[in-house]
Amino acid sequence: MTRSTRAAGRRSAPRANRSRQRAQRAYRSRTVSKALGLTLVSALIPGLGFVLGGRKKLGAFVITLYAGLLLLAAYVALTQRGAIVDLAVNPSRLLLATGGVLVMGLIWICIVVSSHKLLRPISLTSVGRFTGSAFVGLLCFGIAVPTTFAAQTVMAQRDLVGSVFKSEKDSKSATRPNVDKKDPWAKKPRLNIVLLGADDGVGREGTRTDTVIVASIDTKTGDTALISLSRNWMRMPFPEDSPLHEKFPDGYYDPSGPAEQPEYYLDSMYDNIPKKYPGLLGATDNMGADVLKLSAGAALGLDIDYYMQVNLKGFEQIIDALGGITVNINYKVPIGGDYGAGPGSNTARKPSGYLQPGPNQKLNGHDALWFARGRYGLSDPSRQERQRCTIHALVNSASPAALVTSYNQIAAAGKQLLRTDIPGDILGDFIELGLKVKNANVTNVDLDKSKNFPTGQNPDYEAMRELVQKAIQPKTKPVASTPSGKPSSSTTKKPGKKTTTVKPPAGEPQNLADACAYDPTQTGN
């Protein structure tokens, strides 16, 4: 072969071979510590290890794919909240998401291992080989743990959605409205939900709904009015077109009985009516809840759309999973205690202790439950107010950080303590509305106890309906006045260390944040 031929061969040698030779020289001279450092960088930026190890095309492809996924995730998170919500409430999509998370984690681990093989020196001592293997194993463990946690969280969400929020075809309700699934709130300016706290603990016969709160939500703004119904109300009405109205045309009570009838209290309806008139309302998964939806709606002049039922004992688990709630305690609240008389009572006993007054009290699940439930020596209206404040504190405590870190516990507790007729088909729309409520104005509607129900024997439901309608009417903006040339003589007071909350007149709505403010002048009676 002539010299010119050999020169031409050298000139035509592929550039890739020369690049690989340079990479191999660097590969041989690289120290163990430097290889481990580059492996760590390649774990943080998948594909970079391939580039440094001489596999530039493969590395460039992986880096581009990685960057594209990051940009796509940022775009979806910032602009496609609806798509994320739809994913979070669709069991089929959640199953696919779980598989996607596991596959991505496995691919990431393979990239780290392959990168280290390219980056490590050829000649290694047994110590260097062990060090490299241990380091790569640690990196893989660091990837596997969050990947597994993410997959478990997605599966917990899928389990919760599938267990609690069943589709319309898989659940039955005698009172659930028919809505347009594409836009459920298009023809519904207000959504009314009854929140039931069911006390079916050990030692009690049946289930009594000691807590009944109606939440009336403006579907445009998220502004919410909370209305508490007293557990000892009698003569609860029913809509005229309901079969229950035929059974109790003058309200839920026994006309031939005594003045006080505990078995005809509001809190007995959930258990007693389904037992006495099974199937009266038609096919339903929870007749007790349907009874309360109809009756609470008739009492307040509202059409109740859905119910949310919470087992009060399981409520502790939710609070503990969130890390507790912070409330203002204005007077001593009993822990336990029983009068030994009345429906649902056990033997008479004194409270085992008291929650002491004070501002910004951090409560765990057990204490938060008794803050909401405690009534020994206290009035029912004070108990209702504490229950509304508990809901307010719970909403404020549900921060993204708490939800992410404790979601598996929250989902497990939620599956045990929640019942509802909210269909999974429109759950995404409920979540969107819930996000509005969290940042909107929440008020407490005072039904004026002294005037409308000084006792529970014969409440004035007509007067209550008038108060409710007045409270939920859209507020009109005041007309701006023409400014005068003279400066105002009024002065703005600077806030001091102590603030005094002025309670509105009886029957007027009050902002829930103000109603739950610290006020040690209250007595709970």
Side-chain angles (χ1 to χ4, degrees), residues 228-237 250-253 259-260 264-266 298-300 447-465:
S228 294
L229 287 74
S230 289
R231 59 184 291 275
N232 66 336
W233 282 356
M234 293 169 51
R235 304 173 188 264
M236 285 289 292
D250 298 317
Y252 180 59
Y253 86 115
E260 192 72 17
Y264 287 89
Y265 282 175
L266 164 62
L300 303 177
L447 296 177
D448 197 350
K449 170 180 169 59
S450 61
K451 181 179 179 181
N452 296 328
F453 56 103
T455 70
Q457 293 179 9
N458 194 13
D460 188 346
Y461 295 114
E462 182 61 36
M464 293 185 203
R465 287 191 280 268

Side-chain angles (χ1 to χ4, degrees), residues 109-179:
I109 289 174
C110 291
I111 290 174
V112 170
V113 173
S114 300
S115 297
H116 180 69
K117 287 182 177 180
L118 285 174
L119 295 170
R120 67 185 179 183
I122 291 180
S123 58
L124 281 174
T125 63
S126 57
V127 174
R129 186 174 292 105
F130 173 79
T131 301
S133 299
F135 184 73
V136 171
L138 186 63
L139 288 178
C140 293
F141 180 77
I143 296 170
V145 169
T147 300
T148 304
F149 175 78
Q152 288 177 340
T153 301
V154 175
M155 287 303 293
Q157 170 69 5
R158 181 176 184 270
D159 194 25
L160 174 64
V161 171
S163 299
V164 178
F165 302 95
K166 299 184 181 299
S167 65
E168 284 191 353
K169 66 178 182 179
D170 295 328
S171 60
K172 296 186 273 302
S173 171
T175 57
R176 187 165 53 196
N178 294 318
V179 297

Side-chain angles (χ1 to χ4, degrees), residues 385 444-446 501-511 514-515:
E385 185 173 77
N444 161 46
V445 179
D446 182 3
T501 301
V502 180
K503 192 169 184 179
E508 293 293 324
Q510 182 182 22
N511 185 280
D514 294 334

Side-chain angles (χ1 to χ4, degrees), residues 161-303:
V161 171
S163 299
V164 178
F165 302 95
K166 299 184 181 299
S167 65
E168 284 191 353
K169 66 178 182 179
D170 295 328
S171 60
K172 296 186 273 302
S173 171
T175 57
R176 187 165 53 196
N178 294 318
V179 297
D180 180 3
K181 294 181 177 61
K182 293 182 179 179
D183 189 357
W185 322 137
K187 299 180 180 180
K188 188 174 285 295
R190 298 199 74 87
L191 178 72
N192 301 309
I193 304 174
V194 64
L195 310 175
L196 307 176
D199 192 353
D200 50 356
V202 177
R204 287 182 176 264
E205 295 182 4
T207 299
R208 288 188 174 264
T209 50
D210 285 352
T211 301
V212 180
I213 299 174
V214 172
S216 183
I217 307 168
D218 186 315
T219 56
K220 299 298 181 185
T221 65
D223 289 346
T224 302
L226 294 182
I227 312 156
S228 294
L229 287 74
S230 289
R231 59 184 291 275
N232 66 336
W233 282 356
M234 293 169 51
R235 304 173 188 264
M236 285 289 292
F238 294 102
E240 292 185 1
D241 59 351
S242 168
L244 289 167
H245 186 268
E246 297 179 8
K247 302 295 182 183
F248 304 99
D250 298 317
Y252 180 59
Y253 86 115
D254 182 2
S256 62
E260 192 72 17
Q261 302 176 26
E263 286 306 315
Y264 287 89
Y265 282 175
L266 164 62
D267 70 352
S268 72
M269 300 172 70
Y270 181 93
D271 199 50
N272 288 352
I273 291 182
K275 287 180 178 177
K276 190 172 183 178
Y277 303 105
L280 181 64
L281 298 179
T284 177
D285 294 331
N286 190 344
M287 182 176 172
D290 284 328
V291 167
L292 279 166
K293 285 172 65 177
L294 292 171
S295 189
L300 303 177
L302 300 172
D303 292 325

Side-chain angles (χ1 to χ4, degrees), residues 269-503:
M269 300 172 70
Y270 181 93
D271 199 50
N272 288 352
I273 291 182
K275 287 180 178 177
K276 190 172 183 178
Y277 303 105
L280 181 64
L281 298 179
T284 177
D285 294 331
N286 190 344
M287 182 176 172
D290 284 328
V291 167
L292 279 166
K293 285 172 65 177
L294 292 171
S295 189
L300 303 177
L302 300 172
D303 292 325
I304 306 297
D305 300 293
Y306 303 99
Y307 80 90
M308 285 285 291
Q309 181 177 327
V310 179
N311 177 291
L312 294 182
K313 186 62 180 175
F315 178 76
E316 291 185 37
Q317 301 173 31
I318 290 284
I319 300 296
D320 286 332
L322 287 171
I325 60 173
T326 301
V327 298
N328 295 306
I329 304 179
N330 296 321
Y331 46 83
K332 291 198 304 182
V333 178
I335 298 175
D338 201 301
Y339 296 113
S345 291
N346 297 307
T347 56
R349 66 181 185 279
K350 297 288 186 180
S352 61
Y354 287 87
L355 301 175
Q356 297 301 319
N360 299 321
Q361 301 276 34
K362 188 68 175 287
L363 304 181
N364 59 22
H366 173 271
D367 291 346
L369 178 60
W370 282 109
F371 175 76
R373 288 187 60 194
R375 65 185 180 94
Y376 190 92
L378 302 176
S379 67
D380 270 348
S382 70
R383 185 189 194 211
Q384 293 164 11
E385 185 173 77
R386 282 182 276 113
Q387 289 169 351
R388 293 190 294 267
C389 292
T390 302
I391 294 174
H392 185 60
L394 181 60
V395 171
N396 290 336
S397 298
S399 65
L403 291 173
V404 169
T405 56
S406 304
Y407 191 76
N408 286 347
Q409 299 95 305
I410 295 170
K415 191 175 68 169
Q416 299 298 322
L417 69 91
L418 289 177
R419 290 187 71 181
T420 184
D421 59 352
I422 297 173
D425 313 71
I426 59 172
L427 185 54
D429 297 280
F430 265 90
I431 294 176
E432 290 281 359
L433 184 58
L435 294 173
K436 287 184 181 179
V437 172
K438 184 175 176 62
N439 299 311
N441 184 38
V442 181
T443 57
N444 161 46
V445 179
D446 182 3
L447 296 177
D448 197 350
K449 170 180 169 59
S450 61
K451 181 179 179 181
N452 296 328
F453 56 103
T455 70
Q457 293 179 9
N458 194 13
D460 188 346
Y461 295 114
E462 182 61 36
M464 293 185 203
R465 287 191 280 268
E466 292 180 7
L467 287 174
V468 170
Q469 289 304 314
K470 180 181 177 182
I472 66 175
Q473 287 300 315
K475 303 298 185 292
T476 56
K477 295 182 179 180
V479 179
S481 59
T482 304
S484 62
K486 297 180 181 180
S488 173
S489 58
S490 61
T491 58
T492 302
K493 295 182 179 180
K494 294 182 179 180
K497 293 182 179 180
K498 295 183 179 180
T499 58
T500 303
T501 301
V502 180
K503 192 169 184 179

